[in-house]
């Protein structure tokens, strides 16, 4: 593995071998460069056109932090059409691992031999072989996670990379005559309409990528995830349980319902009571169509939200609230403030009726200061759920290209997350984007928690939750456990134990549960308290799942997460999956405690707290 660089300056030749149109790599810009210095942390290349390109690969603990700096020392402004955050050459690998991601199906692992991808070297060495993938828009985890791993299955060596890019990105694996090259970074001009003008004596620094090597995919993923450095609020350090009332009221929160819930939760071990969407909706209007004005509903809360929060606090709970602060809906007044909204080609950008605040505009920053930060502070909220339910797509106006406009827009949104924490440092922030569409490292580092998915009540929840452990810290991964009065005890266990794969978030009709089911819920919170340190500090060493169809899951799943002293095994059965073979994983462990159903039926769950023999 050699750390290199790939970039393309406008005007230089594209590469040959039929690459033009599918990749901007291997261009004349690279041919003009020579390596002038190299040390353990960077390789410096000099172009005959007067550019200095420095590819950094700085060792930090178990990982390498990679990024590239382009310095224009020429006498003219140049346009970068593509530049890699990382580029690895001389790779001897035969397998590609990716994590697919769609709404309510985040993180499904896709593993393919390069021969399946038609990536063998051609008979003569002529013609590029390439596999390129990525994401375009402001939801960086739509279709794919910004992650890639390659494997040599003979030597059992793995290389894994995560991109810290909240806007459009791409990864490319290509082969010419030489061994394979793997690179990634911002989506280029062909793929994501991104270019950047660099004036004389100016430079551009790419977003970073983090790289790890190891002898298994799970070890590499663990190193990448543990390299993430999230801004955890002090109150959230011990992974308390959340109750979110969305699946209770479905966008119709009321004082009466919140108080009934708070009474039920008092003394249960739950710390947060989060009021989700609808608190602002106008009479006879849908909550979805009135996003943006953020005026507290006079009908639902005639005395404002401080009264509600004081009530919630009186039951020993921290109150939370939902915002979708970056988007505006058609029945809001701000929808017409088009001078301050995102545009494309001079026209307001509309996506399924919604528009986007442009937080590069100081007017929008001041607007959200008044509508969001002031409300949070004045009403006494301790928890903020930030949702994001539409995608800007290829880009927006305001820069030299649509893709650069998008990059600047997303960075401005991230600055506003930081602004909130600067003004309210104890606030817990949850990252949500229709569930998991922003589970990307640079965004995860701004938050205490994240919605792992919008999978509220489907049977694939434990599968998705296990998948996401490869991409984000389980201590940040908030998993829905929606409880219904009609559920039998097996379904209740199934829902709650799924939450042990990350942060337990309860919702549903808890005040109508049969006493036996409510007791199971209280017992689950006590068991969760005993395993939180494993969720937080452990290593997921096994994810064994034989399910193919998430809508009709058949088979079983076993997840083992361990520390040096103890471990947690979570076993799920699905259709025709009774009595899965998990005992083989107990060889080095003693069972300290069990929680859950017998595993002799469909859709059952059981958790085992273990100590090392």
């Amino acid at each position: 593995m050699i750390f290199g660089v790939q970039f393309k300056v406008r005007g230089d030749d594209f590469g040959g071998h039929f690459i033009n149109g599918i990749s901007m790599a291997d261009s004349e810009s690279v041919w003009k460069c020579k390596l002038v210095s190299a040390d353990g942390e960077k390789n410096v290349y000099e172009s005959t056109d007067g550019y200095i390109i420095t590819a950094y690969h700085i060792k930090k603990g178990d990982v390498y932090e990679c990024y590239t700096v382009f310095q224009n020392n020429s006498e003219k402004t140049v346009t970068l059409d593509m530049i890699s955050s990382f580029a690895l050459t001389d790779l001897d690998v035969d397998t590609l691992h990716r994590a697919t991601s769609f709404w309510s199906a985040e993180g499904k692992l896709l593993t393919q031999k390069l021969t399946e991808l038609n990536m063998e070297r051609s008979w003569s060495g002529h013609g590029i072989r390439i596999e390129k993938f990525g994401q375009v828009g402001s939801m960086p985890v739509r279709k794919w996670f910004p992650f890639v791993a390659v494997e040599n299955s003979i030597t059992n060596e793995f290389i894994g990379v995560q991109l810290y890019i909240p806007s459009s990105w791409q990864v490319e694996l290509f082969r010419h005559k030489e061994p394979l090259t793997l690179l990634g970074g911002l989506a280029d001009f062909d793929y994501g309409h991104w270019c950047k003008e660099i004036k004389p004596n100016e430079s551009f620094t790419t977003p970073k990528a983090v790289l790890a090597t190891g002898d298994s995919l799970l070890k590499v993923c663990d190193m990448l995830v543990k390299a993430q450095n999230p801004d955890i609020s002090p109150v959230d350090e011990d992974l308390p349980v959340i109750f979110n009332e969305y699946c209770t009221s479905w966008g119709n929160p009321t004082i009466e319902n919140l108080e009934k819930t708070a009474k039920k939760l008092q003394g249960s071990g739950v710390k947060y009571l989060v009021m989700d969407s609808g608190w602002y909706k106008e009479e006879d209007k849908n909550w979805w169509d009135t996003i943006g004005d953020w005026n507290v509903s006079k009908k639902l809360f005639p005395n404002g939200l401080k009264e509600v929060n004081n009530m919630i606090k009186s039951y020993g709970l921290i109150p939370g609230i939902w915002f979708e602060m970056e988007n505006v809906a058609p029945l809001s007044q701000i929808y017409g403030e088009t001078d301050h909204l995102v545009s494309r080609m001079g026209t307001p950008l509309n996506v399924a009726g919604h528009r986007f605040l442009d937080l590069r505009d100081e007017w929008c920053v001041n607007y959200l200061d008044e509508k969001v930060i002031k409300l949070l502070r004045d009403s006494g909220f301790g928890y903020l759920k930030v949702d994001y339910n539409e995608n800007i797509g290829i880009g927006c106006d305001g820069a030299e290209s649509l893709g650069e406009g998008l990059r600047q827009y997303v960075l401005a949104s991230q600055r506003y997350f930081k602004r909130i924490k600067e003004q309210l440092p104890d606030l817990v922030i949850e990252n949500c984007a229709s569930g998991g569409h922003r589970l990307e490292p640079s965004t995860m580092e701004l938050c205490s928690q994240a919605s792992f998915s919008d999978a509220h009540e489907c049977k694939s929840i434990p599968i998705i939750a296990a998948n996401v452990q490869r991409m984000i810290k389980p201590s940040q991964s908030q998993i829905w456990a929606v409880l219904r009065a009609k559920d039998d005890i097996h379904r209740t266990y199934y829902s709650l134990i799924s939450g042990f794969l990350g942060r337990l978030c309860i919702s549903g009709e808890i005040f109508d549960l049969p006493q036996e089911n409510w007791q199971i819920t209280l017992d689950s919170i006590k068991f969760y308290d005993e395993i939180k340190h494993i969720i937080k500090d452990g290593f997921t060493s096994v994810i064994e799942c034989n399910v193919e169809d998430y809508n009709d899951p058949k088979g079983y799943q076993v997840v083992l997460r361990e520390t040096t002293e103890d471990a947690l095994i979570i076993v799920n059965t699905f259709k025709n999956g009774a009595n899965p073979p998990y005992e083989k994983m107990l060889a080095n462990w003693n069972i300290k405690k069990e929680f859950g159903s017998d595993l002799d039926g469909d859709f059952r769950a059981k958790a085992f707290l273990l100590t090392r023999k």
Side-chain angles (χ1 to χ4, degrees), residues 161-278:
V161 185
Q162 279 192 320
L163 293 170
Y164 284 56
I165 301 179
S167 54
S168 301
W169 58 269
Q170 66 187 36
V171 168
E172 302 177 61
L173 180 68
F174 75 85
R175 184 199 303 274
H176 184 206
K177 291 181 180 179
E178 73 285 347
L180 285 151
T181 295
L182 179 69
L183 66 139
L186 290 164
D188 61 31
F189 190 77
D190 281 357
Y191 191 72
H193 207 275
W194 178 84
C195 67
K196 183 70 179 173
E197 293 179 359
I198 315 294
K199 295 178 181 177
N201 300 315
E202 288 188 348
S203 65
F204 176 74
T205 301
T206 69
K208 74 177 181 181
V210 172
L211 181 150
T213 62
D215 60 7
S216 80
L217 182 62
L218 281 173
K219 285 182 181 178
V220 163
C221 288
D222 185 69
M223 286 185 275
L224 293 174
V225 166
K226 286 191 166 86
Q228 297 172 18
N229 186 30
D231 184 4
I232 306 296
S233 299
V235 71
D236 206 44
E237 284 283 356
D238 66 343
L239 315 190
V241 179
I242 310 100
F243 186 94
N244 182 301
E245 61 77 50
Y246 180 67
C247 297
T248 309
S249 75
W250 298 109
N252 189 41
T254 64
I255 295 176
E256 294 76 21
N257 202 47
L258 287 165
E259 183 158 22
K260 187 163 61 166
T261 302
K263 282 181 180 179
K264 190 72 173 180
L265 294 174
Q266 187 176 28
S268 66
V270 172
K271 180 171 277 190
Y272 308 112
L273 173 50
V274 181
M275 177 173 58
D276 213 279
S277 58

Side-chain angles (χ1 to χ4, degrees), residues 119 136 158 175 197 228 235 251 259 388 423 427 444-445 449 471 493 508 511 526 534 586 588:
M119 287 282 290
V136 172
F158 291 77
R175 184 199 303 274
E197 293 179 359
Q228 297 172 18
V235 71
E259 183 158 22
Y388 187 82
Q423 298 199 30
L427 187 73
M444 291 302 302
E445 290 194 332
Q449 302 185 29
M471 299 293 115
Y493 278 124
F511 33 74
K526 292 177 182 176
I534 304 173
L586 299 175
N588 299 316

Side-chain angles (χ1 to χ4, degrees), residues 17-33:
H17 298 270
F18 321 116
I19 199 172
N20 189 17
I22 54 174
S23 175
M24 299 185 118
D26 205 26
S27 71
E28 183 186 10
S29 304
V30 177
W31 310 338
K32 292 177 179 178
C33 286

Side-chain angles (χ1 to χ4, degrees), residues 479-528:
I479 300 161
W480 290 96
V482 179
L483 307 178
R484 298 297 181 203
K486 63 179 175 58
D487 291 345
D488 63 21
I489 61 168
H490 299 302
R491 176 65 192 189
T492 300
Y493 278 124
Y494 187 92
S495 298
L496 291 164
I497 290 172
S498 296
F500 298 167
L501 290 160
R503 298 292 299 274
L504 179 58
C505 176
I506 299 170
S507 191
E509 305 152 358
I510 57 168
F511 33 74
D512 293 331
L513 292 180
Q515 182 54 39
E516 182 181 14
N517 295 42
W518 179 240
Q519 188 58 52
I520 290 170
T521 304
L522 296 176
D523 291 343
S524 77
I525 295 169
K526 292 177 182 176
F527 189 87
Y528 173 80

Side-chain angles (χ1 to χ4, degrees), residues 222 225-226 469 472-475 500-501 533-542 559-563 566-570 589 610:
D222 185 69
V225 166
K226 286 191 166 86
Q469 286 195 356
I472 66 171
K473 291 176 181 283
S475 57
F500 298 167
L501 290 160
H533 67 288
I534 304 173
I535 296 169
K536 186 175 183 179
D537 300 320
F539 160 54
T540 299
S541 57
V542 176
V559 178
L560 171 62
R561 187 167 176 84
E562 56 185 287
T563 69
D566 47 18
L568 172 67
I569 287 184
I570 295 175
W589 304 96
L610 311 174

